[in-house]
Amino acid sequence: MDLGIAGKWALVCAASKGLGKGCAQALVREGVHVVITARGDDALQTTAAELRTLNPDVQVRAVAGDITTPQGRAAALAAAPQVDILVNNAGGPPPGDFRDWDRDAWIRAIDANMLTPIELIKATVDAMANHGFGRIVNITSAAVKAPIDVLGLSNGARSGLTGFIAGLARQSRLAGRNVTINNLLPGAFDTERLRVTMQGAAAKSGMSIEAIAERRRQAVPTQRFGTVEEFGAICAFVCSVHTGYLTGQNLLVDGGAYPGTF
Ligand code: NAD
């Protein structure tokens, strides 16, 4: 299937590794020019070089900076001549017990996983509507649908974003002009974040990391973790010309782990 988005410009946030990188790879394969961001410049430049090799016909611009800061967002936005596709992503908040989280911890989580995507949407969405095409994908978490106790900061901040998006995506001045906004909810994907989380669980429980990983794999009906390539391919489809009638949705990508009918 031709996704029909060659030549468009995408801003893919937090994309030197993991799910964001998977999205950038899939978009570049489709001929989309990308601006990618991450905090560390070394990994970002390596990823940018890989993307250029994947498709020499596209432009790849790498902007190092913290996307959760006004300066980081301004630099990322300035690097793209226009933003037709926006993939919102940032690191997830740390696990813990809510008794230990003070106001600053909550503000950091809300800033990163709720207000940053909202600010980037605000900066880009009206121009998308004027052009008659726009695709916004927010990478959230399966924890929005099935909360994970120790990830309370994530459950809370991402649910706030989800509620806001549910209203915004249904504005006829956006949906009626071919601008869609959807959330992708990853379950367990084989990324550095998952490995770090499992290392923490292994240290706490005294089990080996391989035993922890195996237990988590067995809890997923597919019996394995997702790959960033699979995640990227779904993201690219949601960003395609074929999805103008798909908006305001929360798409679980979790290997069937969520046990509900709906
Ligand atoms: P990862 O650690 O593998 O990669 C994160 C990427 O984001 C890196 O490129 C890093 O440099 C960049 N980054 C982090 N904070 C940033 C910031 N403030 N500004 C700019 N760049 C930043 O993580 P991942 O597994 O790809 O996860 C991506 C998101 O998806 C996270 O919010 C995570 O909580 C969420 N998530 C992941 C999983 C999973 O299984 N991997 C499951 C549910 C939710």
Side-chain angles (χ1 to χ4, degrees):
M1 183 188 279
D2 178 2
L3 299 189
I5 46 178
K8 298 208 180 288
W9 273 93
L11 168 56
V12 187
C13 305
S16 68
K17 299 177 191 161
L19 302 177
K21 180 177 175 180
C23 296
Q25 285 172 325
L27 290 168
V28 160
R29 281 202 182 91
E30 293 302 317
V32 176
H33 307 298
V34 292
V35 173
I36 57 169
T37 83
R39 280 172 303 187
D41 197 41
D42 288 353
L44 186 66
Q45 294 304 337
T46 306
T47 297
E50 281 173 36
L51 293 173
R52 291 184 190 108
T53 312
L54 268 184
N55 188 346
D57 295 334
V58 305
Q59 293 190 55
V60 176
R61 298 183 183 170
V63 180
D66 185 339
I67 201 69
T68 69
T69 64
Q71 301 85 326
R73 288 191 290 275
L77 289 165
Q82 67 184 61
V83 179
D84 307 299
I85 294 167
L86 170 64
V87 180
N88 276 315
N89 186 31
D97 185 314
F98 92 99
R99 291 164 190 82
D100 301 324
W101 297 330
D102 57 14
R103 181 178 165 76
D104 284 349
W106 276 106
I107 295 296
R108 274 196 299 278
I110 291 167
D111 249 344
N113 298 113
M114 179 180 173
L115 299 180
T116 289
I118 292 173
E119 287 290 341
L120 288 169
I121 292 169
K122 188 173 152 190
T124 54
V125 79
D126 290 327
M128 289 177 180
N130 288 341
H131 293 146
F133 179 91
R135 297 288 180 261
I136 299 173
V137 169
N138 304 302
I139 301 179
T140 64
S141 173
V144 170
K145 219 167 145 76
I148 301 167
D149 178 34
V150 294
L151 292 179
L153 289 169
S154 170
N155 301 337
R158 296 189 202 274
S159 294
L161 176 67
T162 304
F164 170 75
I165 294 298
L168 182 70
R170 290 169 172 84
Q171 283 190 358
S172 53
R173 60 194 271 206
L174 300 179
R177 293 183 190 165
N178 195 21
V179 176
T180 68
I181 315 179
N182 293 289
N183 304 317
L184 286 182
L185 283 56
F189 276 82
D190 190 8
T191 68
E192 198 168 296
R193 169 144 172 119
L194 184 71
R195 285 188 286 278
V196 169
T197 314
M198 290 190 305
Q199 264 160 15
K204 218 170 161 182
S205 66
M207 291 168 73
S208 70
I209 182 159
E210 194 35 60
I212 295 272
E214 190 51 27
R215 195 171 64 182
R216 286 210 60 179
R217 272 189 217 106
Q218 294 306 322
V220 185
T222 50
Q223 306 281 283
R224 65 177 178 84
F225 299 137
T227 69
V228 299
E229 288 77 16
E230 292 174 306
F231 190 85
I234 292 168
C235 176
F237 176 72
V238 173
C239 295
S240 76
V241 294
H242 307 295
T243 53
Y245 210 57
L246 176 81
T247 197
Q249 300 304 304
N250 289 288
L251 305 169
L252 256 182
V253 190
D254 69 346
Y258 179 76
T261 306
F262 300 106

